[in-house]
Amino acid sequence: MRLISVDFQHDFASPGGVHYGGQSCVEFVTDTVVPFARTHGVAVAEIVSDYRSPGGDDADATCVPGQWGYVSVIPADVKPAAPWVKGSIAPTWVRDGGGRAAAVPGPARPDPAGFAAWLDSAIGPPDPSEPVVIMGLVLEVCVLASLIEIRLRGYPAVVLIEGVDTSDGDQPRKHEFLDTLAGFWGHPMTWAQCAAALAG
């Protein structure tokens, strides 16, 4: 079983972040999932965002490399692989200069082959016996987009129930979403199920 986090950056995951909504999944991941991963030697692959405008002259841009909002809340010691830096909602869209503070960012462009290559290097090839467990923010946007793209590449991906939240953090809405739309792409998994599989 393999773990992938999506957009656990300060702008989404921390008080003061532009997109922060007080979602409870952040504390669960940092206080429960990360210590477990560290103890059991489980790597966390990471997808992050660079939402600068082309040319880098957008004062309202979020997740800007070199600024606090871009920094991940997932500790470096559980992330042996370099993150995948996306430039839009879907992880298959990137930008030239993405993730580099000194680079002038280009427009978002598709790079599906690059994303597939990153998956292969970060978590290995698809394996029906090894589900990919996705956690992150926010469920109905970037997490869902990442789930779909990963599933389309043959990975048996699932969503960690306690490790995701909607944009407003509403728990009934989260579970309704997981039970409907997300269920077409990957059945939700509880942390108890995930931890048992990882520890086994």
Side-chain angles (χ1 to χ4, degrees):
M1 188 166 292
R2 296 161 287 183
L3 299 177
I4 292 183
S5 72
V6 178
D7 286 354
F8 269 133
Q9 297 161 270
H10 285 309
D11 264 343
F12 286 97
S14 300
V18 175
H19 303 296
Y20 179 68
Q23 293 92 339
S24 60
C25 72
V26 177
E27 184 176 358
F28 183 85
V29 169
T30 57
D31 293 354
T32 300
V33 178
V34 166
F36 182 95
R38 183 178 290 127
T39 299
H40 291 83
V42 177
V44 179
E46 185 173 45
I47 298 170
V48 296
S49 293
D50 176 349
Y51 285 154
R52 293 177 292 175
S53 295
D57 55 359
D58 183 358
D60 297 324
T62 60
C63 299
V64 176
Q67 297 183 10
W68 172 81
Y70 177 82
V71 177
S72 172
V73 300
I74 305 295
D77 67 303
V78 297
K79 301 182 297 188
W84 177 257
V85 183
K86 62 187 178 71
S88 186
I89 292 169
T92 50
W93 285 74
V94 301
R95 64 180 73 252
D96 292 336
R100 302 200 307 273
V104 177
R109 58 175 176 79
D111 185 11
F115 181 61
W118 176 80
L119 284 171
D120 186 67
S121 64
I123 64 173
D127 183 341
S129 68
E130 290 191 28
V132 174
V133 182
I134 300 175
M135 52 194 181
L137 295 166
V138 294
L139 174 59
E140 69 271 40
V141 186
C142 294
V143 171
L144 177 62
S146 295
L147 172 65
I148 291 171
E149 291 292 346
I150 291 169
R151 285 291 297 250
L152 288 174
R153 283 158 178 76
Y155 291 88
V158 298
V159 177
L160 179 62
I161 294 173
E162 299 92 336
V164 295
D165 270 311
T166 57
S167 56
D168 59 6
D170 181 85
Q171 294 303 297
R173 194 165 79 87
K174 175 178 96 169
H175 287 282
E176 180 180 2
F177 189 88
L178 285 170
D179 289 340
T180 54
L181 185 59
F184 290 105
W185 293 102
H187 294 291
M189 174 178 280
T190 66
W191 172 243
Q193 294 169 322
C194 181
L198 289 169

